[in-house]
Amino acid sequence: MMADMSYEHMVLDAQSACSADKSLLGGKAYNLAWLTRNQYQVPPWIVLTTTSFEQQLAYCQLTDQVLNLDQLSPADQRKQCADIRQKLAQSTLAPHLAAKLKHSLAELPKGRLAVRSSAADEDSTTLSFAGQLDSFICLEDYPDIANAIINVMASGFGERAVRYRQQHQRSLSQTTLAVIVQTMVEGECSGVFFTAHPINGSRKQGLISACHGLAEGVVAGTADCDEFTVDLFSEEIKPQIHQKQFQIVYAQATGQGTERISVPEALQEKPCLSPQQIQLIKQQGFQIARQLGRPQDLEWTIAHDQLYWLQTRPITSLPAPEHPIGKRQIWDNSNIQESYCGITLPLTFTFALRAYQTVYQQTFQLLGVSKSKLRALQPALSNMLGLIQGRVYYNINHWYAALQILPGFKTNKADMERMMGLQDPVDFIEDQPDSWQQRLTRLPDSLHALSRLCWGFMTMDKRVRNFESHFENIYQQVNRAQLHTQSIAELMAQAEWLQRQLLDNWQTPIINDFMVMMTNGRLHRQLQALGINNAEALQNNLLSGETLASTEPTKHLMRLCDYIRNKPGLARLLTGLANDEVMPAIQYRYPEFYNRCQDYIEAFGDRCMGELKLESTTLRQDPRFLVALLKNYTANPNLNLSTLGKTERDLRTQAEATIRQQLMLQPLGKYRWRYQRIWKLLNLWRKSVKNRESMRLARTRAIGLIRDIYREIGQQLAFYGVIAEPDDIFYLTVTELEQYMQGTAIQTHWQSLVTTRKAEYDEYQQQDLPHHFQTVGPVYLHNEFSANTLSRFDEAMPYDTCTSSNTQPLKGIGCYPGIVTAPIKKIFSPNDDLDLQGHILCTVRTDPGWAPLFPTAAGILVERGSTLSHSAVVARELGIPAIVNIPGLTQQLETGQWVTMDGTTGNIQLQQTPVTTKQTPAELNSQSEVTEQKTNKAVLEETVV
């Protein structure tokens, strides 16, 4: 408050206001002063400054009450503001203020006046205060003008203004405003002009709303208006002409206020603005916006062919553009969610983002891609992944950009989409440049890259041996047990060394992934060319029987269960204790078995749900998941190594026989050529898939080492009070940790940063994002990440929880044959109920860490994935009916709901009442070519529900 300021600053004319500070004029008067100073036509005006307001508060002895407002509760604030308003409204102007006002009014032209508020933060870039404060128009006599000024001041403490300030967390103790007194112009046509379109959100178009009579008709919505969408950079006008029955004009009969009268009939259907007037409003209004540097909301009127500007203020909000401008990007996590399931925290994402860039850059260098092309490819390689509301997505545009390095983009694109399980292929990316000259220019480099890639395929066996040898050598150099003896600097250096040693030598797994992609696609096309029905299902069966690294944990678990079955006391201990009590008891009473469990953890302890996420809890930190699996396995006496694999070997043999049978139908001259080609391709495909699973286990082990290093860094940062909890490290980024070491961090108070990020990621947990969508322009602005940006594949299929068995089924990709009718159980994390006996596992996605859970399931349903995803590969080896890539699965089904799944066709039928039949192995064989009953409860026994 500045109650002692000189009286000369209490009332200013327009010329004096042009050099006054905004704190003295308030927002609206400051903008009027700007218009006046820049030679725009503004009706004559004066302003009672914020000093006048403060003088009036002092005159009414209300200053202390206002200063005390921020100390009160919201309810008490509103109560005291009501008291202040009442006292102000009942007062008269302070004598010295009244004298200054009379003198200034005498300088204005004779005629009607308007009295408007100009609060300090009114018409600002963030708050408009539109409609929150009182205004009065059509005033002529001094008593009416003085009374209006008092009431405008009092409205600063009115209920609307107070709630508005509270809502926007503005101080009530700092409430201050100025009051504008302005000559009114009797316009023939008036309105508002938004220099950015308030309906379609475009900043390249404006909207002029115009009516006959005074601007009050537009602002208050009491007159009918025409609307003109104007292009700011051309002469284009899109009019919307309405019937204008009424207009607001000055009340001629009484000489006070306004009245609503009819528009002359001849003018009702005609535009109230001429094209020349529209262009004039647009040109001047857009010039004002350019000078102020932001879109404006302008009020104008036209009288006697003169355009007057009554006010301008920044536009404080716009809708998302109907036609956004910017790069269109496609996001998909059908495949990547196997590796980074659910919410992924900042440390993991930034580590993965850097790893992808490093690995693919090294691979393209190996393929002989020139330095200039690598530089051009950097924007794509450095952003292969995206993080949308805590979920990791592939940026499909950038994957396609990288794939264009090789010739035959169209075929490679289709193969990559098949391997990734993309339900919505992207068709807007061209496979080649337009001109043949450009194609010819690309050809030598593309052929060179292809030849290097083929050489990589030919030498893959040697490459895999060298990779595994190098990996083991590096892996064995890290002593987990001694990490706690190292300083943070040593731990960061060791993490950097591991990444350099491993990621810089990760070309073999990437080249092998190309081999999987290409052989998978070519084999599929060959099978289709043979005329094989359901070539996808047969191709799945051809992969059955392979010994894969992803199933080794399952086999090891079965050996542990065989040991338990031979130790009745151990079996009783296992079933009689809670999961968290078992390991301590076993360590004391059965040390030999405890050591076997430790051997399992050492070999496979990093293979867990979400195994590539650094924040995931592994068996090394919590062995309860292992205990739960042992309980499930031992509860099923038919689950053992002797029965594992027979069914898939039979399926493999039958699939190969089907190919031979189809080949016999070929002309004699093509038989041998096609036979050799298909079998060579089949062997390459099987070998590449087997190598992929083996090297992905190495990747899991590498991530496990890096995870333990970061966990130890988190322990020490928490020990020294830098973060509150050791796990808070996962809410930091790799770059932030490095900058902390290097002295380049822009924020070192990490506890508040972590708290903010935790709150944000907790919100993400409550949201459900589609697996595929597109964005335009800035990814996090005006993009909804919702199904309305998707193709038909993402729209959830309607269903009824009481649907009968003949309802249209859900459908996915069948990965392993078998018809199973059973209740489903949804599992999303190791903390869920893992007892799957007699249930079909239902989940969004899986990774190799889920494999030990599969053998106890009657069947497997996975919302995401492809025929080469981990769930499909492991299910085939274990002989479990499985379906993947089922849109909307977990949204439509609930735990306990009965379904019939067909692993051959991919159909899922909802059941109102469970089928009460006993399916023998022979029956299963006739239904689905399954020759073995895996478990007592994996096949539905006679049940009455």
Side-chain angles (χ1 to χ4, degrees), residues 39-50:
Q39 306 300 310
Y40 292 100
Q41 195 69 35
V42 178
W45 60 285
I46 61 173
V47 58
L48 284 76
T49 66
T50 55

Side-chain angles (χ1 to χ4, degrees), residues 609-624:
M609 295 182 181
E611 62 185 25
L612 296 189
K613 294 165 63 174
L614 298 173
E615 63 269 19
S616 293
T617 300
T618 70
L619 296 181
R620 298 181 188 277
Q621 288 87 44
D622 186 352
R624 287 180 296 173

Side-chain angles (χ1 to χ4, degrees), residues 231-291:
D231 188 289
L232 299 180
F233 299 95
S234 73
E235 302 296 311
E236 182 182 5
I237 301 172
K238 295 179 181 179
Q240 283 187 307
I241 308 304
H242 301 99
Q243 183 180 20
K244 297 167 287 297
Q245 293 182 317
F246 300 102
Q247 61 179 319
I248 304 300
V249 298
Y250 294 135
Q252 300 295 334
T254 63
Q256 293 182 345
T258 60
E259 61 180 346
R260 187 170 181 247
I261 65 171
S262 296
V263 175
E265 188 173 349
L267 300 178
Q268 289 185 4
E269 302 288 346
K270 293 182 179 180
C272 56
L273 288 175
S274 68
Q276 295 77 13
Q277 289 173 324
I278 294 172
Q279 292 298 337
L280 178 63
I281 293 169
K282 184 196 78 171
Q283 291 166 5
Q284 286 197 20
F286 187 32
Q287 180 175 318
I288 291 170
R290 287 199 305 268
Q291 288 179 266

Side-chain angles (χ1 to χ4, degrees), residues 530-533 657-666 671:
L530 284 178
I532 293 176
N533 293 327
T658 300
I659 294 177
R660 291 189 181 95
Q661 183 179 1
Q662 289 297 114
L663 283 169
M664 293 297 291
L665 301 177
Q666 299 293 309
Y671 172 80

Side-chain angles (χ1 to χ4, degrees), residues 243-355:
Q243 183 180 20
K244 297 167 287 297
Q245 293 182 317
F246 300 102
Q247 61 179 319
I248 304 300
V249 298
Y250 294 135
Q252 300 295 334
T254 63
Q256 293 182 345
T258 60
E259 61 180 346
R260 187 170 181 247
I261 65 171
S262 296
V263 175
E265 188 173 349
L267 300 178
Q268 289 185 4
E269 302 288 346
K270 293 182 179 180
C272 56
L273 288 175
S274 68
Q276 295 77 13
Q277 289 173 324
I278 294 172
Q279 292 298 337
L280 178 63
I281 293 169
K282 184 196 78 171
Q283 291 166 5
Q284 286 197 20
F286 187 32
Q287 180 175 318
I288 291 170
R290 287 199 305 268
Q291 288 179 266
L292 289 170
R294 58 179 58 90
Q296 295 292 303
D297 168 6
L298 298 127
E299 187 177 329
W300 55 268
T301 192
I302 294 176
H304 308 296
D305 292 327
Q306 174 65 54
L307 173 63
Y308 292 92
W309 295 102
L310 306 181
Q311 69 174 38
T312 184
R313 61 188 178 197
I315 294 176
T316 56
S317 66
L318 285 172
E322 285 183 5
H323 305 287
I325 298 172
K327 182 180 178 182
R328 179 187 176 195
Q329 299 184 89
I330 302 298
W331 305 91
D332 192 286
N333 68 359
S334 299
N335 181 273
I336 191 66
Q337 277 284 294
E338 286 193 352
S339 301
Y340 303 99
C341 55
I343 298 297
T344 297
L345 299 185
L347 187 65
T348 294
F349 175 72
T350 52
F351 176 86
L353 188 66
R354 180 179 297 182

Side-chain angles (χ1 to χ4, degrees), residues 10-27:
M10 290 194 301
V11 183
L12 301 177
D13 59 22
Q15 183 177 355
S16 301
C18 285
S19 58
D21 188 76
K22 185 176 182 179
S23 62
L24 201 62
L25 301 178

Side-chain angles (χ1 to χ4, degrees), residues 125-146:
T125 56
T126 55
L127 295 179
S128 68
F129 269 85
Q132 307 305 314
L133 302 170
D134 291 344
S135 294
F136 301 87
I137 60 173
C138 298
L139 305 172
E140 295 186 76
D141 298 331
Y142 172 78
D144 294 334
I145 296 170

